[in-house]
Amino acid sequence: MKLLITQVALPIATTLLSFSMEIYLDYNASAPLLPAARAAVVAGLDLLNASSVHGAGRVARQGITNARNILANYLGIKPAQIIFTSGATESIATALRGTVRKNFIIGATEHEAVRANAEGAKIIPVGKNGMIDLSALEKLLSETENAVVALQYVNNETGTVQPVADAIALAHKHDALILIDAVQALGKLDLTPIKNADMIVFSAHKIGGPKGAGALILREGLSIQPLILGGGQEERRRAGTENVAAIMGFGAAIQNISAQLEKQTELAEWRDAMEKEIATALPQVKIFNSAPRAANTSMIALPGVTAATQLMNLDLAGVAVSSGSACSSGKVGPSHTLINMGEDKNIASCAIRISGGWNSNEKDFQEFARIYIDMAKRLA
Ligand code: PLP
């Protein structure tokens, strides 16, 4: 999929950015905006304060209510169980800081948003394939009073699918609360296995919605303290004037979820064919595919060539992918997920992530394989 973004005028610096990517395979970082989400955002930008009692306020409120109903409908929950936030990081921080329980138990490969908000957490180890050790979780639960477990459904770097239904059952057997980070599962997997979770988090921009919208879902009857204090928005659970446009864009993206789910079979075929071609041409590469994975994600290490070097070379060739570990400063370090899977640091430093989504096509994966193989031969 060719993504061409030109002449984005930054209003303050009046700088013009222009970049062209031939192949965008970095959906786990952010999916391109869906046309329907763009239209919803644009419509929402003209709306006013959803808390105002006048007609203009009521129209803005309706925009949020519609998005809430779409999400509630999709999840089969009551609209009041949804707290709209600015994204998954805020949802996670609200969930973990807002519960009265403070004895955290988290997976070894959780996203930084979970790790940073779960001080003193006990860690559930993962095996070589990246899946959590359920007996270790059970042991931790039996040793911990008032526990809150946080576990991702799908790992953002490797696509590994965690045994979330079993983890939820174990947590409840031990009277613990459990938060499921479903950011990378939405639009990729059926959400039935997490229906009994106490708290679930989602992010709009991973499914083609805008950045700046996310959700925290609370089990019926569960209440939490707000992270941000102020006005009474979101039933006093998240203060601050709502980002109406982003929430409406999120709603529009949710309406596209069934199309995204249907695409997973094709994505798996294209991804697997790409991996096969790379493995045949480059026997030295290591592909992290030994666990059940989301269909769109591939993590591949090219020993001896750092992820930073690979990313730069691929970028020059018009290919956008990432290392699993890119932090906000843009620095590239060894993959945190691979290190916690017990992988050698030298391998973890040479791994990159390829992730497709709603607008990817077979050619993207075929071209990626060709360019990657050329690069690897050149740099070897
Ligand atoms: N959890 C996972 C698994 C993620 O992949 C991400 C985003 O990279 C987040 C949480 C944070 O999401 P957001 O960008 O909406 O804050």
Side-chain angles (χ1 to χ4, degrees), residues 28-29 86-90 92 111 113-114 152 154-156 181-184 201-206 213-214 353:
N28 287 9
S86 65
T89 299
E90 186 193 323
I92 291 165
H111 189 274
V114 167
Q152 56 196 190
V154 171
N155 182 267
N156 47 306
D181 174 353
V183 168
Q184 298 289 353
V201 304
F202 299 114
S203 177
H205 74 103
K206 308 290 184 179
R353 174 188 71 191

Side-chain angles (χ1 to χ4, degrees), residues 178-190:
I178 182 160
L179 161 79
I180 299 295
D181 174 353
V183 168
Q184 298 289 353
L186 187 62
K188 297 171 191 157
L189 294 179
D190 173 28

Side-chain angles (χ1 to χ4, degrees), residues 229-294:
L229 301 175
Q233 291 89 351
E234 295 297 291
E235 300 199 6
R236 309 208 76 82
R237 296 171 301 185
R238 198 271 185 180
T241 301
E242 297 93 336
N243 187 347
V244 184
I247 292 170
M248 286 169 64
F250 189 9
I254 294 289
Q255 289 182 308
N256 183 258
I257 286 291
S258 32
Q260 295 188 34
L261 286 170
E262 274 169 28
K263 191 161 178 159
Q264 299 306 305
T265 314
E266 274 179 326
L267 281 169
E269 278 167 20
W270 301 338
R271 187 245 352 236
D272 293 349
M274 171 197 80
E275 288 181 346
K276 202 165 161 211
E277 197 167 336
I278 290 174
T280 309
L282 306 166
Q284 75 273 33
V285 301
K286 183 156 187 183
I287 300 177
F288 298 91
N289 58 0
S290 57
R293 287 184 296 167

